[in-house]
């Protein structure tokens, strides 16, 4: 399944937004327009359903409470609402599932978030089967029930666990190379779901040897095309049993070209993690600014590299949502213009804008997303920064 539509009301930057997604979706926007906040919608739903400690209450609390989630422009409308449509493929004539969740502050006592509306609709042919419609009679006689979604309750979600499994399988990674290179020295608490790659090597080590070797061989082939003099990539453990990646580069001295991950460039580590994730599962993958630390010529090829590596996997190809404002990445004409969303500042929050008919025509005429759409998200008066 893939997410084909997202509707938001009063979610952070977005007072009222409606976005259609594709198998690969690029989200463009200037700084502080809400690119990360858009991805956070999916991470929020994952945290509601996660097996250990998942709940509406913890997902809201972990984000600083409801006041931090609500759009600043939504004072008259205290409810936060999220609606997700899931389809089999982007070519499907309609959704298979619709999940709607709206919640607000309890307004008394512990001031907890409580459910205003929760709906689960399953579409079978022309029929729309409403499996959940809350608040129901039981909710009205027991206020405590409204502090929990049915999504998080095993006793209630039996008939729509496909949705639960989809949200739970989501992956987000904004890899920070220094956490891999200097992890033993930095130490500290590892965040749940490891969003910054602190335990990336442990993730690699945890796979069966045959699967791990197969993936590293495919990554090696991709890196040979992207990195000069790159020869091979291997997994090793040191005498203490700690996992490592070793790369060999062509060199006139036999052993001089051997490097471990702490000697890799930041860009090489980010590429390895990116390619690994493309082959690791088939749930929704969120990539935040994958161009960071990469050479401009590699950035230009990222859309094709992502496409090639993901298709080479034996697993079902992953749906990917990518946030970026990279000129080099968006200059690649392989990007489907229909799979681009633009975030624009408005008087009240941020709007999500799909390409217009005229813009699509320009893209189909040979211009790139960088030519047609990226200039429209550049901050106004940015040239005046040089005068400060």
């Amino acid at each position: 399944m893939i997410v084909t539509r997202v509707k938001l009301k009063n979610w952070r930057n977005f007072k009222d937004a409606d976005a259609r997604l594709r198998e690969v979706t690029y989200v463009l926007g200037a700084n502080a327009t809400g690119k990360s906040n858009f991805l956070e919608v999916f991470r929020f739903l994952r945290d509601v359903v996660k097996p250990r400690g998942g709940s509406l209450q913890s997902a809201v609390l972990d984000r600083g409470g409801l006041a931090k989630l609500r759009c600043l422009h939504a004072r008259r409308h205290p409810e936060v609402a999220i609606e997700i449509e899931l389809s089999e493929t982007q070519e499907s004539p309609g959704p298979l599932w619709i999940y709607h969740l709206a919640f607000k502050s309890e307004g008394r006592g512990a001031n907890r978030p409580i459910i205003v509306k929760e709906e689960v609709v399953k579409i079978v042919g022309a029929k729309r089967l409403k499996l959940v419609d809350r608040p129901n009679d039981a909710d009205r006689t027991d206020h405590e029930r409204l502090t929990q979604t049915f999504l998080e309750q095993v006793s209630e979600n039996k008939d729509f666990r496909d949705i639960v499994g989809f949200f739970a399988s989501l992956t987000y990674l904004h890899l920070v190379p220094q956490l891999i290179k200097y992890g033993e020295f930095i130490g500290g608490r590892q965040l749940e779901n490891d969003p910054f790659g602190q335990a990336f090597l442990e993730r690699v080590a945890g796979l069966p040897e045959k699967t791990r070797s197969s993936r590293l061989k495919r990554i090696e082939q991709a890196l040979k095309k992207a990195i000069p003099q790159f020869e091979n990539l291997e997994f090793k453990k040191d005498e203490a049993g700690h996992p490592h990646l070793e790369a060999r580069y062509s060199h006139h001295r036999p052993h001089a070209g051997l490097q471990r991950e702490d000697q890799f460039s930041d860009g090489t580590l980010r590429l390895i993690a990116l390619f690994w994730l493309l082959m690791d599962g088939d749930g929704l993958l969120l990539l935040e600014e994958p161009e960071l630390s990469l050479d401009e010529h590699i950035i230009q090829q990222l859309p094709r590299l992502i496409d090639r590596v993901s298709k080479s996997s034996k697993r079902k190809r992953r749906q990917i949502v990518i946030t970026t404002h990279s000129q080099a990445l968006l200059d690649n004409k392989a990007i489907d213009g229909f799979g681009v969303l633009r975030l624009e500042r408005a008087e009240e929050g941020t709007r999500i804008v799909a390409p217009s008919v005229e813009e699509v025509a320009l893209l189909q005429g040979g211009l790139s997303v960088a030519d047609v759409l990226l200039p429209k998200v550049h901050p106004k008066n940015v040239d005046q920064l040089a005068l400060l």
Side-chain angles (χ1 to χ4, degrees):
M1 288 195 302
I2 69 170
V3 177
T4 46
R5 192 172 188 178
V6 181
K7 295 181 181 180
L8 304 173
K9 286 191 180 296
N10 303 331
W11 173 269
R12 291 192 164 173
N13 296 62
F14 307 98
K15 183 179 179 182
D16 192 353
D18 187 347
R20 294 186 180 274
L21 275 60
R22 297 175 68 83
E23 193 174 68
V24 179
T25 302
Y26 291 84
V27 181
L28 320 184
N31 292 333
T33 52
K35 297 190 298 298
S36 297
N37 287 340
F38 183 73
L39 297 186
E40 189 68 12
V41 174
F42 306 106
R43 296 176 66 189
F44 176 83
L45 291 171
R46 180 195 62 189
D47 289 353
V48 170
V49 303
K50 64 186 179 183
R52 294 186 179 181
S55 70
L56 173 65
Q57 301 300 315
S58 62
V60 172
L61 185 62
D62 288 347
R63 287 158 177 80
L66 193 56
K68 296 292 181 66
L69 287 181
R70 288 180 60 243
C71 179
L72 294 176
H73 302 281
R75 295 183 181 89
R76 297 181 181 178
H77 305 280
E79 300 170 10
V80 175
I82 301 169
E83 183 171 296
I84 304 287
E85 292 186 7
L86 298 169
S87 303
E88 186 63 35
T89 68
Q90 66 183 31
E91 289 82 19
S92 300
L96 293 174
W97 298 95
I98 301 174
Y99 180 74
H100 182 100
L101 174 65
F103 52 95
K104 67 176 183 178
S105 172
E106 189 175 23
R108 58 186 173 85
N111 205 25
R112 299 168 296 181
I114 59 169
I115 293 168
V116 175
K117 181 179 180 181
E118 185 181 25
E119 288 185 348
V120 178
V121 178
K122 183 176 183 179
I123 292 88
V124 181
K127 295 182 178 179
R128 294 170 61 92
L129 308 176
K130 189 171 287 190
L131 305 184
V132 174
D133 187 6
R134 303 180 68 196
N136 54 29
D137 291 340
D139 295 327
R140 296 183 185 96
T141 58
D142 184 357
H143 178 80
E144 289 296 309
R145 287 169 54 92
L146 292 176
T147 64
Q148 296 183 340
T149 65
F150 278 9
L151 199 67
E152 69 201 64
Q153 297 180 41
V154 175
S155 60
E156 300 289 352
N157 65 26
K158 179 181 177 181
D159 294 332
F160 54 94
R161 286 192 187 147
D162 286 351
I163 299 178
V164 176
F166 180 87
F167 291 148
S169 67
L170 177 148
T171 304
Y172 167 90
L173 184 66
H174 187 61
L175 186 131
V176 178
Q178 286 73 21
L179 291 178
I180 298 178
K181 291 183 179 182
Y182 311 114
E184 294 181 17
F185 303 100
I186 297 173
R189 183 173 67 91
Q190 181 182 311
L191 296 180
E192 190 175 7
N193 296 309
D194 192 30
F196 306 116
Q198 191 173 356
F200 177 70
L201 293 179
E202 285 75 11
R203 186 185 303 190
V204 174
L207 278 184
E209 182 179 354
K210 184 176 180 180
T211 304
R212 180 175 61 240
S213 298
S214 175
R215 287 191 189 177
L216 290 177
K217 182 59 66 175
R218 291 202 294 271
I219 293 173
E220 175 186 291
Q221 295 304 313
L223 292 178
K224 282 182 177 180
K225 294 179 173 63
I227 301 174
Q229 298 180 304
F230 187 92
E231 287 191 349
N232 74 299
L233 180 68
E234 294 184 359
F235 172 84
K236 296 285 182 68
K237 286 189 176 182
D238 61 22
E239 294 179 356
H242 298 140
H244 295 282
L245 292 175
E246 287 186 350
R248 186 178 297 279
Y249 296 80
S250 58
H251 198 279
H252 68 279
R253 293 168 57 192
H255 301 291
L258 188 65
Q259 293 184 357
R260 273 191 173 176
E261 72 279 344
D262 60 347
Q263 297 172 293
F264 291 1
S265 70
D266 290 356
T268 298
L269 281 172
R270 287 181 65 85
L271 274 177
I272 291 171
L274 170 61
F275 293 152
W276 184 273
L277 285 176
L278 290 169
M279 295 181 284
D280 190 29
D282 54 13
L284 177 62
L285 174 59
L286 308 178
L287 295 177
E288 192 161 11
E289 299 182 350
E291 68 272 9
L292 293 181
S293 304
L294 298 181
D295 177 89
E296 183 173 302
H297 295 291
I298 296 177
I299 296 171
Q300 289 174 343
Q301 296 305 316
L302 270 182
R304 287 192 174 90
L305 283 170
I306 289 172
D307 187 68
R308 185 180 301 135
V309 174
S310 61
K311 283 183 176 178
S312 71
S313 174
K314 293 181 181 179
R315 289 176 175 267
K316 186 178 179 180
R317 191 179 182 190
R318 306 193 76 167
Q319 182 182 18
I320 309 172
V321 181
I322 303 168
T323 65
T324 183
H325 42 61
S326 167
Q327 176 87 23
L329 188 152
L330 298 171
D331 204 36
N332 192 313
K333 295 179 182 177
I335 296 175
D336 180 2
F338 289 104
V340 178
L341 298 173
R342 191 169 76 246
L343 304 188
E344 290 185 350
R345 289 190 180 91
E347 288 186 8
E348 294 188 339
T350 296
R351 295 189 304 146
I352 302 178
V353 183
S356 66
V357 174
E358 293 78 9
E359 290 166 344
V360 169
L362 290 172
L363 294 169
Q364 292 176 337
L367 295 177
S368 70
V369 173
D371 297 323
V372 179
L373 301 177
L374 187 59
K376 298 185 177 184
V377 304
H378 288 159
K380 296 180 180 179
N381 305 318
V382 70
D383 295 338
Q384 296 180 13
L385 288 174
L387 302 177
L388 297 179

